[in-house]
Every structure is written in C-alpha cells, then in structure tokens.
Amino acid sequence: MPVIVLLLTLLAPAASAELLAGAARVEITDHQAGPVNDTSYAKALVLKNGANIAVILTVDAVAIGEIGRIPNHFMASVREKLQKDLNIPPASLLVNASHCHSVVRTDSDVLAVQAVKEAWKKLEPARAAAGRGHEDRIQENRRMYLKDGTQIDVRRAYSMPRDEDVTTIGPIDPAIGLLRIDRKDGRPLAVVYNFAAHPIQGVPSNGNTADYPGFASKAIEETLGNGALALFLQGAGGDINPAKYKDVHQPHDAEPLGNLLGLSVLRAWRTIQPKDDAPVRILNETLTLPRGVDYPQRIAALEAEQKRLLASLQGTSINFKTFLPLYIQYQVAGEFPSYYSHRYQHEKALNREDLAKLDAENRAAMDQYLRNIHTMEQLTRLQINLALLRKHHARHLAEGSQPLTGEVVGLRVGDFHLVTFPGELTVEIGLGIKQRAPAPFTFVSGYTNGYLYYTATVRQRTNAGYAQEDCDVLIAPEWQQMFEEKAAQFLAALAR
C-alpha cells in the first residue's frame, strides 16, 4: 500500500502563525561544457508558517534524474542534507525542473542545498497572494490528429505530415499560475509562476541556455528589483511546443518568447494584493504505478507498418536533380509546361500528342517521386519512435515487472493551490484537474520530485500511430486514473 505523509499543518490552524519567507539562487551552469548563452540557476523559496515548512526548489535543467546531468540520487541527497542541517522534513521539499535542455554541473545536488540554506538564512516576515495571468502567444500544441485516425507530433527530429492529412490539433493552457510573496513593508520578495510549454526553442548562438523561462525570470526580476526572485514551475507541458517551433526562416530565439511571458506575469502580478493570512500546507504520497507491458505489440505493429511503407516505394526515371526544376516548371506553366502553347496547338492540328504524352509521363514520375518523399518522411517519424519503444522494452526486460513509483505533491500557500507529478504531463491532464478543482487558484506541475518520462492521456497512450508522448513511456495507461484520483483527494484536503 502507498505510504502517505501528511504534515501536521493539516491538523492545526496555520493562519495563527506568521508567514516567514526567504529566497535565494545559486548558479548551476556548467561553463566547461561549451559556450554559454545565459545563466542557469537553482532557486529556492523557503516558506515557514509556525512549525510547517515548504521548500520550493526550481532548477534550470531537463529533469530530476534519468536524463541530463542531475543524478538519480538527487532527491535523496538533498533531502538528507536538509533534514540533517536544517531539520526540514523530507516531505516538505518540492523540486521542479523547468525541462530546459541546459547543461548543468554534476554537483547540482550540493548547489541546490546551498540555495536552500541561503534562503533559510534570509527568512523574514512576509505576505502572500495567489493570482492568474494569461499568455497564448508563445506556445502551440504539438499533437496533430490525422484523417486516418492516428496522432503524430511536431518535432525537429523529423518532418511534418502533409497539410491535407491534418484534421485538428490539441489544446493549449494559456493560464499562468501566480504566487506573489512580498515583504511586510510591501517590497517584492519572490514570485512563483506556473506555465505549460516545452523550453526547447534554443538561441541563435546555440549556447547553453535556460531558454524562455530563464529570459522570463530575468525580465521579472529586473523589473521588480529589491532582490526579488522569480521561480518558474513547469506545468503540464508534455505536448506543448514553443510557437512556430519548426520555423526555418529565422534563427530560433527563446528570448522574445521569455520576454512576452515575463511581461504577462508582471501584468497579472500587479493585480493581486498579498495578505497576512497565508497558511502553508503540504501533502506528499508515493504512488505505486504499473509498468507498460504492451511494448511487444506496439513494436510489432510499427514494424508491420514499416514493412508496408518500404514496400510502397517505387522507382522513377527522375532524381532530385531533375525533379526540382521539372516540378517548378510544371507548377508555373500550368496547361502547357513543355513548350509555348502554340506548339501544342500545332500538334493538335496535325493529330499528334507528343507533348501531351510527355507531360503525362513527367507528371506520373513527379507524383511517384513525391509519394516516395512522403513515405520516407513517414519512415523517419516511425523509426525514431520505434527506437524509443525498443529502448523502453529493453529496460522492461532488464528490470522485470517491478512497479514504478512516483511522488504526488500537494501544496497550499494562502490561496495558491498546486498539485505535482514526476512525469511529463500532457496539457489535457492539467486542464482537467484544474477544471475539477474546488479552489479557484489551482495549478498543476509535471517534472517534479523525479522523472517518469512522458505520461500521456489514455487516448494518447493508446494511439494507433506514433508520437514521442506515447512511445517515450515507462508506465501503463492506468496511471492517469490513479494520478487524477490522488490529485483530486489532495486538492480537496488542501481546500478545507
């Protein structure tokens, strides 16, 4: 049975105690790993309400364990050190990775502890408020639904489907969750903001970057001044890309996206007023989650599709060198691509069809060449996702059917309510939880207190096609109901 850790906060009225808050940051950029465009940080916000403690720790990194530089022992190491040195209960720690692809130092656990200790030293009386902002210009859903009933995704790792094959796309979540923390004298101390989108836009220099959250936080901090820190919490952004993610006409640049998000945070920040009554409550439970067992069937299905696609490739009399000018010629010239129209009229008068037959042959060759291109594009998408399935199947065979575990965290600070999960939650999960939540300012974060790869909806997970969200997976589709039920339980308890 899962073990639930319920802090004493739920047993006593926390509002009678004064809220104390402290924030600090420590750089975690690996300057030895190559060119650095902008700085990556571990940021800590310590909240203390009587005997109740919550630590929000954000890191500009791809994940908490499994992939990237942060080791699998990170959570245990940080918890052990904080409990020993500061008497912070292990269940009080919430660590969120922004999911940017920054290369961080290998001693990130030591640096994270340092950030928390510095924040602890800065504890001072504070006030808190929750709010919501809006931003819909910098993100787009990468999940596409096709006419054949399958779903695929938008990645730079492979090409897009044909425009005419796409029927619709998934939703986005434009909400920005806000927790405003001010000092008693009204000066800003920290702002926590929750937003759902992959931070994978990159920068023109291709240097190490914290991506759009780094730029957004910088804009917020420079505007607020007073040493205030902005802490980004990644939301349910598993299937959300930066806007125009596949643009090939200008350099990829996360800074404008971050600036837009930062300004939207500030616009909403100004509309909420902190108050003294800000109870701190935190819940933490480790769920036992079933492993996915359908790898052999899904691999067999993709291998069969791969074989079918390969068999559909047909030879033509043209190659790329002859196809491109021929294709342009036939697109521009319309009815008379091989010569001027008067020659076609001349042949017609003599009952000849030489040019018409040539056009038919060329059009047939170009059509087949284009079909081959589209088939090869499908094969690249298939093969990359097939490799993901094979990778996780190999891991399943090596580790057996032992269940996976994942922490669910529920946090309340005043009117700010948050529930988290270690996987890459897709946006529909977050939207559904927020819609059903009893408190108005409820938000959802993935990528927290561990990493379980993609955790798509049941519909996405059982996709007859192939996309990263349903192939780069460890857990079975049943995870969704288990998490949503626990999230609902936590949010109901926090709202009381």
Side-chain angles (χ1 to χ4, degrees):
M1 295 290 291
V3 178
I4 184 168
V5 181
L6 184 59
L7 295 192
L8 295 177
T9 313
L10 292 177
L11 305 178
S16 60
E18 184 176 44
L19 175 67
L20 302 178
R25 70 182 185 185
V26 173
E27 182 179 353
I28 58 174
T29 317
D30 186 350
H31 288 270
Q32 306 303 315
V36 173
N37 185 82
D38 53 276
T39 306
S40 297
Y41 292 103
K43 297 180 180 180
L45 174 63
V46 177
L47 300 166
K48 196 169 185 295
N49 187 220
N52 307 315
I53 301 169
V55 177
I56 299 174
L57 180 64
T58 64
V59 290
D60 294 325
V62 67
I64 309 301
E66 286 292 331
I67 59 175
R69 287 286 191 88
I70 292 184
N72 288 341
H73 63 74
F74 178 91
M75 290 299 301
S77 175
V78 173
R79 279 174 162 156
E80 179 182 7
K81 192 66 175 173
L82 293 180
Q83 186 173 34
K84 178 182 177 182
D85 295 350
L86 300 177
N87 199 30
I88 294 176
S92 293
L93 182 63
L94 184 157
V95 186
N96 180 268
S98 73
H99 198 53
C100 74
H101 289 30
S102 172
V103 182
V104 301
R105 285 173 46 172
T106 56
D107 59 346
S108 54
D109 54 338
V110 176
L111 299 172
V113 169
Q114 180 183 336
V116 176
K117 286 184 175 181
E118 291 182 11
W120 183 272
K121 292 177 182 177
K122 296 179 179 180
L123 283 172
E124 61 178 294
R127 308 172 76 205
R132 181 182 291 104
H134 183 93
E135 178 54 65
D136 60 10
R137 300 165 293 178
I138 73 168
Q139 77 276 43
E140 60 190 24
N141 194 297
R142 73 187 195 186
R143 196 88 177 181
M144 295 176 289
Y145 296 84
L146 306 186
K147 290 178 179 177
D148 63 4
T150 64
Q151 307 161 39
I152 63 173
D153 56 345
V154 179
R155 296 183 65 196
R156 289 181 187 158
Y158 39 68
S159 55
M160 299 283 285
R162 298 183 305 175
D163 292 334
E164 58 267 31
D165 292 336
V166 180
T167 60
T168 187
I169 58 169
I172 64 169
D173 183 355
I176 306 169
L178 291 175
L179 172 61
R180 174 175 174 172
I181 305 292
D182 283 6
R183 299 174 175 90
K184 283 287 189 175
D185 62 7
R187 290 178 299 132
L189 189 153
V191 56
V192 178
Y193 64 110
N194 166 262
F195 185 73
H198 262 64
I200 51 175
Q201 184 72 348
V203 289
S205 69
N206 290 323
N208 202 357
T209 178
D211 214 86
Y212 79 80
F215 293 114
S217 294
K218 181 180 179 182
I220 296 166
E221 291 166 356
E222 289 180 350
T223 302
L224 295 181
N226 296 290
L229 288 187
L231 293 87
F232 173 81
L233 291 175
Q234 181 59 259
D239 54 354
I240 305 299
N241 274 347
K244 296 184 178 179
Y245 180 61
K246 296 275 283 186
D247 190 359
V248 296
H249 300 293
Q250 57 185 355
H252 302 133
D253 193 354
E255 187 167 4
L257 305 183
N259 288 340
L260 287 171
L261 177 59
L263 290 172
S264 293
V265 169
L266 290 166
R267 185 178 295 116
W269 178 89
R270 291 189 175 95
T271 67
I272 56 179
Q273 295 302 318
K275 52 188 178 181
D276 293 320
D277 184 14
V280 175
R281 303 180 180 181
I282 193 162
L283 297 166
N284 183 304
E285 182 173 343
T286 297
L287 298 182
T288 300
L289 302 164
R291 285 181 180 268
V293 295
D294 59 347
Y295 297 115
Q297 297 92 330
R298 298 203 66 203
I299 289 170
L302 289 196
E303 287 176 340
E305 176 67 1
Q306 184 182 49
K307 184 176 181 180
R308 185 192 70 80
L309 290 171
L310 285 170
S312 73
L313 293 170
Q314 300 293 324
T316 71
S317 63
I318 58 178
N319 63 3
F320 185 74
K321 179 179 179 180
T322 51
F323 165 79
L324 189 58
L326 200 62
Y327 182 77
I328 294 173
Q329 177 182 330
Y330 274 70
Q331 290 295 310
V332 171
E335 189 178 354
F336 308 108
S338 293
Y339 200 70
Y340 297 105
S341 62
H342 80 280
R343 185 62 191 176
Y344 283 83
Q345 298 294 337
H346 181 73
E347 286 197 353
K348 184 177 180 180
L350 296 175
N351 291 320
R352 295 175 184 166
E353 296 182 339
D354 297 355
L355 291 179
K357 290 179 179 179
L358 174 64
D359 290 343
E361 291 174 2
N362 284 340
R363 287 193 174 99
M366 288 188 292
D367 287 345
Q368 183 58 55
Y369 193 85
L370 283 172
R371 284 194 292 272
N372 287 345
I373 290 175
H374 292 143
T375 297
M376 288 186 288
E377 290 173 347
Q378 285 179 271
L379 282 166
T380 59
R381 294 193 293 267
L382 184 151
Q383 289 175 175
I384 289 173
N385 287 296
L386 180 57
L388 291 172
L389 286 171
R390 286 171 172 164
K391 178 186 76 172
H392 290 300
H393 184 221
R395 176 171 177 174
H396 177 71
L397 292 175
E399 297 179 356
S401 57
Q402 181 179 356
L404 299 163
T405 59
E407 287 187 30
V408 180
V409 177
L411 173 68
R412 177 178 177 182
V413 182
D415 294 330
F416 179 86
H417 297 241
L418 178 73
V419 66
T420 77
F421 192 72
E424 296 202 36
L425 298 173
T426 53
V427 71
E428 291 179 43
I429 300 286
L431 289 170
I433 289 173
K434 290 197 283 187
Q435 184 178 13
R436 297 185 294 269
F441 297 114
T442 296
F443 308 101
V444 181
S445 280
Y447 312 86
T448 303
N449 285 19
Y451 183 69
L452 287 174
Y453 293 86
Y454 282 88
T455 47
T457 65
V458 171
R459 181 187 178 193
Q460 293 170 335
R461 181 67 175 76
T462 54
N463 175 25
Y466 35 88
Q468 185 175 19
E469 295 86 26
D470 51 71
C471 292
D472 196 7
V473 294
L474 288 178
I475 58 180
E478 292 80 6
W479 81 272
Q480 182 180 351
Q481 181 178 351
M482 297 172 67
F483 169 60
E484 289 179 340
E485 289 177 352
K486 185 54 59 182
Q489 178 188 335
F490 274 16
L491 292 171
L494 293 172
R496 290 197 288 268

